[in-house]
Amino acid sequence: MAVRQHRRQLAGLAVLSVVVAAGLVVSPDLVYRQVEAVTDSPALAAGAFLLVYLVRPVLAWPTSAVALAVGYVYGPVVGFPVALAGTTASACVPFLGAQYFRGDGGVAGRLGASGERFFDATGDLRGMVASRLAPAPSDPVSAAAGLSGVPLRAFVLGTALGEVPWTAAAVLAGGSLETLAAGSVGKNWWLVAAAAVVALALLVQPAREALT
């Protein structure tokens, strides 16, 4: 059993290396060019976004980059639920992958044990919401939750709730653009700041209980 877990963890590290390399080679600008080409066809754009959200974790693209494009095509009203659903679904890819490679030993085991202590202190749902609200990369958070044994239901609900301000900021920015530009997400900085404050508020009580 230990040998099998070791092999799984080595395979996981290999997959992670490929993901990082792919993300460095393939830029979201490639998607932006394709999105601008299908802006006049919402149905065709929907198929394109479905594919992009499925491969996004493999290419290590930030969720905000895709949400920006969704807002650009559909506008804020339609774009927000589409982007939130896509973001939540794509987060399940690294989460489920991490659950498969989870083990008791090695790097994955130590990371999982550390994550378990965090979620034991916060609770699964609160911990997921706080992790998503915090200004941290989405996919490492998803992988950490998978290694920590967070239930799928708490992961999905916590991700959906915690990603609301980030998704809203990106979709609002995309809906106001004449041409796609990833840097425009920062124009809604107040949403990002509010998310960070709420994340800290959610963690204050668990941190205080852990220290007493």
Side-chain angles (χ1 to χ4, degrees):
M1 180 66 71
V3 174
R4 183 179 301 174
Q5 288 181 349
H6 183 65
R7 288 176 177 174
R8 280 188 177 185
Q9 291 181 15
L10 286 177
L13 290 174
V15 170
L16 179 61
S17 300
V18 171
V19 168
V20 172
L24 292 174
V25 173
V26 184
S27 166
D29 288 336
L30 175 64
V31 176
Y32 290 166
R33 289 194 293 270
Q34 301 304 317
V35 166
E36 288 183 319
V38 297
T39 301
D40 294 331
S41 178
L44 187 59
F49 283 128
L50 176 62
L51 177 61
V52 168
Y53 272 117
L54 287 176
V55 303
R56 184 206 59 76
V58 179
L59 298 173
W61 290 340
T63 54
S64 58
V66 186
L68 185 83
V70 172
Y72 178 79
V73 173
Y74 294 110
V77 176
V78 176
F80 175 74
V82 170
L84 186 61
T87 296
T88 303
S90 71
C92 291
V93 176
F95 171 78
L96 295 174
Q99 277 194 330
Y100 176 79
F101 293 116
R102 185 185 179 200
D104 295 328
V107 176
R110 289 193 292 273
L111 290 173
S114 177
E116 285 176 5
R117 290 193 294 271
F118 170 78
F119 286 107
D120 285 343
T122 63
D124 293 324
L125 181 58
R126 177 187 287 189
M128 279 309 310
V129 173
S131 298
R132 292 302 184 191
L133 288 172
S138 172
D139 294 327
V141 170
S142 300
L147 291 175
S148 304
V150 173
L152 179 61
R153 181 177 179 179
F155 174 80
V156 171
L157 182 57
T159 295
L161 292 173
E163 288 287 355
V164 165
W166 302 103
T167 303
V171 169
L172 286 171
S176 65
L177 295 178
E178 294 183 3
T179 56
L180 280 169
S184 298
V185 176
K187 65 190 291 185
N188 292 308
W189 60 268
W190 57 274
L191 279 173
V192 176
V197 170
V198 174
L200 288 173
L202 287 172
L203 295 176
V204 166
Q205 182 178 349
R208 183 183 302 162
E209 291 174 354
L211 293 173
T212 57

